[in-house]
Amino acid sequence: MQDDYSNSSADLISVLNHYWERFLFLLPNILLTILIFIVAVWLAGKIKNWLEGRLTTKSHDKITGRYIAMVTRWVVIFIGLLLGLQALGLSGVAGGLLASAGLSAFVIGFAFKDIAENFLAGLILAFDRPFEITDTIEVENTIGKVQNLHLRSTHLLTFDSRDVYIPNAKILSSKVTNLTQNGRIRIDFVVGIDYNDNAQAAIDLIEKTALGVPGVLQEDPPYATVDLLDVSTLNIKVFFWAETDDYKKGVVLLKGSIMQAVSKALLENGFGLPANIQELKLYDYQKDLPVRMVEKSAQE
């Protein structure tokens, strides 16, 4: 019994010694593999920064430059992984990775359909360029400033400082409205005046007032026209153009400033801005308006 125990211990020690010797034999290759991977990661970061800087500086195209640099970084890391496997003597594994690339792509296409779809959509967006960094876009019901184009999603910052990440495939298949691409946008609002007021005089005053508000484009001056004969007001629609380098400041705040200036000018020049008027109608069977007078009690 004791001899069996001794033999088992000797076999275990022999196996451990074998693996230890094997580990010592492979230790230089393991260290080399770790070094190769560290250098690959470091080099990938350097190449990404250099490539991004060169592309964005020369073409002024931050979206495409950043995306190409990001993809290049992962390619360099993958090459570093293959070289590390070669250094470990696992050339068969490295060769298998390359040889089975088509099969892997097929399998990954089913297993990670959404990821692959968003990656390809991001690649198309990077070269199609429907928007750039800092452009303000509207996708479905979300409006925000483009912060970055990632491998899987596009990062938007809304005006209430919310970070929204929209899948690239959704952006590619949805209607995208770029609010800042051409540098200008037309905005409108409605103001109602009294029916007894001179509509043309009000229009002239509105156009003159709006033109004097800082931020309104002078080369394409504001204009106004009668838009609707409403129940209690004659509605005048005012149109003006603004720059959209900063969409929120250039449009939202400017619109508010113009509305304040227009309403103040109309009131100061004697134009009425009537509130909503409610009409009480008497039908044929009603002879008078049913009103009841209630006397206050002596205690009140």
Side-chain angles (χ1 to χ4, degrees), residues 1-222:
M1 194 74 176
Q2 187 174 1
D3 292 339
D4 293 339
Y5 178 76
S6 299
N7 292 333
S8 298
S9 299
D11 292 339
L12 178 60
I13 293 173
S14 176
V15 170
L16 291 176
N17 287 334
H18 173 75
Y19 280 111
W20 176 251
E21 291 175 359
R22 184 65 179 169
F23 172 74
L24 292 178
F25 177 77
L26 293 175
L27 183 59
N29 292 343
I30 294 174
L31 294 177
L32 179 61
T33 300
I34 295 174
L35 179 62
I36 290 174
F37 190 72
I38 292 175
V39 170
V41 172
W42 174 82
L43 186 62
K46 289 292 184 181
I47 292 176
K48 175 182 176 294
N49 294 335
W50 176 82
L51 195 58
E52 182 178 336
R54 297 281 292 182
L55 291 176
T56 55
T57 301
K58 285 192 172 184
S59 64
H60 303 287
D61 185 0
K62 294 182 179 180
I63 284 283
T64 306
R66 288 184 180 182
Y67 199 84
I68 292 176
M70 184 166 45
V71 172
T72 303
R73 174 176 177 268
W74 286 108
V75 170
V76 173
I77 292 176
F78 181 71
I79 292 174
L81 176 63
L82 294 180
L83 292 177
L85 292 174
Q86 290 279 356
L88 271 177
L90 301 176
S91 56
V93 176
L97 286 176
L98 294 176
S100 62
L103 179 61
S104 299
F106 181 77
V107 174
I108 290 174
F110 279 97
F112 302 100
K113 178 178 179 296
D114 291 339
I115 296 177
E117 184 179 10
N118 288 316
F119 171 77
L120 292 176
L123 195 62
I124 294 173
L125 290 174
F127 286 95
D128 188 45
R129 298 193 301 276
F131 50 78
E132 302 290 347
I133 300 295
T134 71
D135 276 357
T136 299
I137 65 173
E138 179 180 2
V139 182
E140 294 184 345
N141 295 323
T142 302
I143 299 178
K145 184 176 289 187
V146 179
Q147 302 297 304
N148 206 347
L149 176 64
H150 300 291
L151 291 175
R152 180 183 174 276
S153 62
T154 298
H155 178 197
L156 299 184
L157 181 65
T158 62
F159 294 143
D160 53 356
S161 294
R162 296 184 181 184
D163 294 285
V164 180
Y165 296 87
I166 304 177
N168 293 329
K170 178 178 283 293
I171 294 180
L172 190 64
S173 60
S174 301
K175 173 187 174 182
V176 178
T177 303
N178 193 321
L179 300 170
T180 57
Q181 190 172 49
N182 63 2
R184 53 186 292 176
I185 189 171
R186 194 194 71 183
I187 304 298
D188 59 76
F189 65 90
V190 175
V191 59
I193 63 173
D194 193 275
Y195 274 100
N196 294 323
D197 292 331
N198 188 324
Q200 188 56 50
I203 289 174
D204 295 339
L205 178 61
I206 290 171
E207 292 176 348
K208 179 181 177 182
T209 303
L211 186 61
V213 177
V216 175
L217 292 182
Q218 303 292 312
E219 58 270 20
D220 199 345

